[in-house]
Amino acid sequence: MVVQKKIFVVIPAYQAALTLESVFERIPRELYERGVRVIVVNDGSSDATGDVAHRIAQSRANVEVIDHARNKGYAQAQKTGFSHALAEGAEIVALLHADGQYAPELLPRLLAPLEKDEADVVIGSRMLERGALKGGMPLYKYIANKALTAIENMAYGLRVSEYHSGYMLYSRRCLETIPFVRLSDTFHFDGEMIMMAGKRKLRIKEVAIPTRYADERSHLKPVQYGFDVLKIVWHNYRGKYEF
């Protein structure tokens, strides 16, 4: 028998006024019925993201909004959301993007290993099945993903299919074991969490997810992102993550 756990979904939202409401509509009804709580971190958006988020919070139970007065970035938005969820007693925390690229409909499948206590970290991987390119992932991103993942696996002694998914879920144990507030504020925060999970000997499980590239607006700069990944690998080699 699976014991029902206290689940939070953290949604970092920056300039997401056009997509945020549809993300909420796609979250499975069963999760709302189970009382899953959702935290939207409005990361200093200059569009109507804040207005949309607060309107949703007024119309839906178990939704709250945290506003950053200025844009602090993807990683800081996660840190804010995770810290608040832990303070509220979260036992499982799921990261969900505000642009709809990662399917909210898959949350129950991704939550299952954590609810069954089979994992401490769940990665929604686009690379487990051969649908990444069919799903519209640009060829250069596919090649870069594979190459950087190979480098990271070699550097960290792990065997995961990708470090570059934004569909990440964590147990409370994981978030209390990893000092996540000390990690970088780069777009590769998710990859750092995987690295640290490996260092802490936490249980990592990957679940295949479909790839979807449509007209989402990404704030990630690919070249800078690649250098950030390599910088993190180098810092790890130099022992700067031994804390």
Side-chain angles (χ1 to χ4, degrees):
M1 178 178 177
V2 177
V3 177
Q4 188 161 310
K5 297 185 178 181
K6 198 169 184 180
I7 299 170
F8 280 67
V9 177
V10 172
I11 305 179
Y14 177 64
Q15 309 295 70
L18 298 179
T19 57
L20 184 59
E21 195 153 15
S22 67
V23 168
F24 273 89
E25 291 170 353
R26 293 170 60 193
I27 294 174
R29 182 185 298 272
E30 66 182 89
L31 296 184
Y32 290 123
E33 292 173 348
R34 289 170 51 191
V36 169
R37 293 175 61 179
V38 183
I39 301 170
V40 179
V41 182
N42 172 31
D43 190 29
S45 302
S46 60
D47 66 357
T49 296
D51 295 334
V52 172
H54 283 282
R55 186 175 72 244
I56 292 170
Q58 290 173 356
S59 63
R60 292 180 181 266
N62 296 330
V63 176
E64 58 185 307
V65 182
I66 300 175
D67 292 297
H68 284 173
R70 60 178 178 81
N71 178 243
K72 296 183 178 181
Y74 175 65
Q76 279 288 341
Q78 288 192 60
K79 293 174 185 180
T80 294
F82 294 168
S83 297
H84 184 68
L86 290 176
E88 292 292 307
E91 294 174 276
I92 297 172
V93 180
L95 172 69
L96 186 62
H97 284 203
D99 62 3
Q101 180 179 340
Y102 296 102
E105 295 88 350
L106 298 180
L107 273 169
R109 185 197 305 174
L110 293 165
L111 286 165
L114 292 161
E115 293 184 277
K116 296 175 182 177
D117 195 26
E118 297 173 350
D120 296 299
V121 180
V122 173
I123 306 167
S125 173
R126 300 163 295 179
M127 301 305 220
L128 278 179
E129 297 176 352
R130 303 194 175 198
L133 292 174
K134 290 182 180 178
M137 180 181 286
L139 180 60
Y140 79 92
K141 287 190 175 183
Y142 179 84
I143 293 172
N145 189 317
K146 298 289 281 187
L148 290 172
T149 291
I151 291 170
E152 289 171 285
N153 274 332
M154 187 180 304
Y156 308 147
L158 298 175
R159 295 181 64 185
V160 300
S161 64
E162 79 160 317
Y163 290 80
H164 312 289
S165 169
Y167 217 156
M168 302 288 299
L169 301 90
Y170 307 102
S171 68
R172 183 180 186 91
R173 176 181 176 229
C174 173
L175 293 177
E176 289 182 333
T177 300
I178 297 173
F180 60 86
V181 294
R182 297 181 63 181
L183 300 185
S184 79
D185 288 335
T186 69
F187 265 101
H188 198 49
F189 175 81
D190 303 318
E192 280 181 287
M193 288 293 287
I194 297 170
M195 173 191 70
M196 291 300 296
K199 285 181 173 293
R200 296 293 196 267
K201 307 300 182 185
L202 297 172
R203 297 167 298 168
I204 301 171
K205 183 175 179 63
E206 296 185 273
V207 176
I209 61 172
T211 303
R212 177 182 182 273
Y213 274 83
D215 55 357
E216 298 90 356
R217 180 184 175 189
S218 174
H219 301 283
L220 182 149
K221 298 177 181 178
V223 174
Q224 180 62 54
Y225 177 83
F227 279 117
D228 286 338
V229 173
L230 296 176
K231 186 185 298 183
I232 289 164
V233 170
W234 174 244
H235 284 172
N236 175 68
Y237 175 75
R238 297 187 64 193
K240 294 192 175 182
Y241 284 96
E242 302 305 322
F243 48 71

